[in-house]
Amino acid sequence: MSSARQIDPLEEEALPQVTGTWSLMLGTLAVAAIGCPLLPESVSNQFRYLPAYFILPLGIWAVVSGGIALRRMRGNKAAGRNRARAGITLGTVAIVTVTAVIVWTCWTLRHI
């Protein structure tokens, strides 16, 4: 008996399938957090402004996890790549939005 473990074809089906769901969830949370500061003033400030600090990290994680999922799906013709691509797109939207707001704020403060 060799020390190398043989993988049974039926056992491969038991391995978790990479679908990009994490990327989609993280991207959705990042885009949803963009709207939190726009909530009415009747909502507590903690709920309105605390999620804004997580937009950039969530967006970056969405892009990275979507890229990892796409790389793992490479060569698998049956794999659905839509969730990973959507997560990457939403994460990119969140990153670009935050970057644009920061650049606009710095530019506006210089011209006061």
Side-chain angles (χ1 to χ4, degrees):
M1 180 179 242
S2 68
S3 62
R5 186 175 155 226
Q6 297 292 330
I7 296 178
D8 187 33
L10 297 176
E11 191 177 316
E12 281 185 13
E13 293 176 8
L15 295 175
Q17 297 294 321
V18 178
T19 60
T21 304
W22 276 107
S23 176
L24 180 61
M25 284 192 323
L26 292 169
T28 303
L29 287 173
V31 172
I34 292 172
C36 285
L38 304 175
L39 291 173
E41 291 184 16
S42 60
V43 178
S44 70
N45 284 338
Q46 185 178 13
F47 187 71
R48 286 176 61 200
Y49 296 114
L50 185 63
Y53 292 108
F54 297 107
I55 296 171
L56 195 58
L58 286 172
I60 292 170
W61 290 339
V63 171
V64 169
S65 67
I68 291 170
L70 285 177
R71 181 172 290 252
R72 286 185 181 169
M73 285 187 254
R74 186 179 296 167
N76 185 358
K77 305 239 182 221
R81 293 169 173 80
N82 293 337
R83 290 181 187 171
R85 289 179 180 155
I88 290 172
T89 303
L90 291 172
T92 303
V93 166
I95 292 169
V96 168
T97 303
V98 168
T99 304
V101 167
I102 290 172
V103 168
W104 176 76
T105 303
C106 291
W107 181 79
T108 303
L109 289 174
R110 282 190 192 164
H111 290 82
I112 290 182

